[in-house]
């Protein structure tokens, strides 16, 4: 099916590719980088997301961890760029570990960061997280949250994951509710207890979020707070940037540049937002910002001699309320690859020279020259060379994949997640 699809589009693709690639010096290097670059899919993004007002389930959602792996396998077959899955515990507790590992290997997938969840109460749970988890005033609640994170690490070790992402909803909703200093201290001590359980070759990502579900203060609310924790915890602790977790107009590219410079950027959660959400499809609102972020990522990683594909964690973190989640994920991966390809096209030497001469207009020209290049055929060529589809969404629709999934799994399935 893939070959048939690709053959039918080949002539048009070649025309576009020849046109764009004619102006690119390091073409093969760029194509190789695009092929190597994999973006993990979170297990909670495969079902239809909801808001607090409602959830409108789509049909054929994966009902088990095995089916979630199958969905990511399908994405990876279509784009050869989604070669990893990130699990959220307890939404996806791996029960039959051996079978799950075999299934994942069969699709050429690996397990990305493990995610703990101390932002919801689970059935049968002894202590409630209503007033926080690692920051909680009661030791027993903090201990329960620490133990949960240790459990998550254990699941991850068996699966071959190498990192733990800790995102806390801890904070307060009203002034006076919380002693900030004490909450920080308690959280730091609890994080240290989790850090101590981390294997030597693991990383711990400390994710921050400006607001929600707490609306007055968040105990890990911005990159400064995250960096404080990460610096105090030790070399395995790093800051994780989720694009949607900033206040409006924050200069995320500058944050990224500084964290990279400090050697403290650990990973990325991709999404986009218009107002204050963290759920929209990557690149759907502000693709120029995404490009500027990638420009800093490439510059900063190259300055430190880092491997683009493997030295940071790359993941999508979005919630698909009105689109087919699989189509939305294909669009997200494509948007990331486009921004990455554009960043690779930036004439770094010329930009540095322009910066050193304070030639502001030229610096902008250089950036926008790259941004305004239509790199879609380069990304498609990388997919073609990797054995994937020239137009993943088109093939997904031609093959009526969603209809098949509905037939197989039913109209009324609901995936675990938000
Ligand atoms: C949070 C945060 C976390 C994700 C949860 C589901 O806003 O982005 O990374 O695990 O949502
Ligand atoms: Mn996130
Ligand atoms: Mn989020």
């Amino acid at each position: 099916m893939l070959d048939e699809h690709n053959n039918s589009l080949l002539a048009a693709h070649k025309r576009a590719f020849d046109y764009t690639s004619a102006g690119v010096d390091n073409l093969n290097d760029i194509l190789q980088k695009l092929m190597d670059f994999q973006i993990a899919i979170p297990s909670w993004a495969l079902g239809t997301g909801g808001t607090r007002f409602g959830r409108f389930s789509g049909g054929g959602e994966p009902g088990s961890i095995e089916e979630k792996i199958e969905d990511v396998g399908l994405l990876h077959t279509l784009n050869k760029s989604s070669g990893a899955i990130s699990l959220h515990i307890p939404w996806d507790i791996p029960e039959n570990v051996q079978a799950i590992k075999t299934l994942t290997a069969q699709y050429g997938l690996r397990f990305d960061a493990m995610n703990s969840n101390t932002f919801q109460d689970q059935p049968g749970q002894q202590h409630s997280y209503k007033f926080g988890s690692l920051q909680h005033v009661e030791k027993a609640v903090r201990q329960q949250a620490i133990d949960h994170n240790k459990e998550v690490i254990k699941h991850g070790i068996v699966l071959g994951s190498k990192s733990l992402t800790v995102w806390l909803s801890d904070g307060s909703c009203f002034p006076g509710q919380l002693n900030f200093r004490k909450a920080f201290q308690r959280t730091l001590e609890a994080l240290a207890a989790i850090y101590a359980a981390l294997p030597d070759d693991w990383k711990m990502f400390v994710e921050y979020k400006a607001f929600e579900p707490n609306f007055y203060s968040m105990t890990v609310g911005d990159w400064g707070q995250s960096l404080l924790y990460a610096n105090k915890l030790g070399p395995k602790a790093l800051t994780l940037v989720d694009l949607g977790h900033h206040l409006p107009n924050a200069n995320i590219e500058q944050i990224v540049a500084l964290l990279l410079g400090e050697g403290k950027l650990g990973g990325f959660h991709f999404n986009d937002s218009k107002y204050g959400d963290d759920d929209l499809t990557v690149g759907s609102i502000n693709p120029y910002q995404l490009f500027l972020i990638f420009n800093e990522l490439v510059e900063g990683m190259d300055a430190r001699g880092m491997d683009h594909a493997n030295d940071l964690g790359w993941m999508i973190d979005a919630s698909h309320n009105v689109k087919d989640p699989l189509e939305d994920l294909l669009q997200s991966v494509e948007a990331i690859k486009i921004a990455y390809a554009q960043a690779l096209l930036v004439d770094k030497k010329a930009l540095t020279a322009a910066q050193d001469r304070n030639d502001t207009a030229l610096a902008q020209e250089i950036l926008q020259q790259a941004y305004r290049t239509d790199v879609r055929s380069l990304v498609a060529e990388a997919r073609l060379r990797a054995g994937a589809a020239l137009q993943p969404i088109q093939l997904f629709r031609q093959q009526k994949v969603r209809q098949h999934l509905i037939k197989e799994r039913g109209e009324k399935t609901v995936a675990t997640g938000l």
Side-chain angles (χ1 to χ4, degrees), residues 44 88 91 115 119 165 167 207 209 242 245 269 278 315 317 418:
W44 61 96
H88 220 297
W91 292 337
N115 302 268
F119 49 87
T165 298
W167 172 68
E207 183 175 0
K209 187 176 188 184
D242 181 314
H245 288 188
H269 283 180
D278 56 344
M315 193 184 94
D317 190 4
L418 284 177

Side-chain angles (χ1 to χ4, degrees), residues 143-189:
Q143 193 56 50
Q144 177 181 280
I146 293 168
D147 292 342
H148 165 70
N149 275 278
K150 287 185 180 170
E151 261 319 293
V152 175
I153 295 172
K154 278 197 197 138
H155 283 304
I157 292 172
V158 187
L159 295 172
S161 167
K162 291 280 175 236
S163 48
L164 170 74
T165 298
V166 181
W167 172 68
L168 301 175
S169 68
D170 292 38
S172 65
C173 268
F174 298 97
Q177 183 186 332
L178 196 66
N179 179 307
F180 298 141
R181 189 173 40 80
K182 289 181 185 167
F184 181 92
Q185 199 50 39
R186 289 193 294 264
T187 304
L188 177 61
E189 278 163 25

Side-chain angles (χ1 to χ4, degrees), residues 300-312:
M301 287 189 289
D302 287 348
R304 297 182 71 85
M306 289 166 76
D307 177 54
H308 296 184
N310 298 309
D311 287 352
L312 295 180

Side-chain angles (χ1 to χ4, degrees), residues 234-250:
K236 289 184 274 179
L238 302 154
T239 293
L240 184 137
V241 175
D242 181 314
L243 293 184
H245 288 188
H246 302 86
L247 294 174
N249 303 328

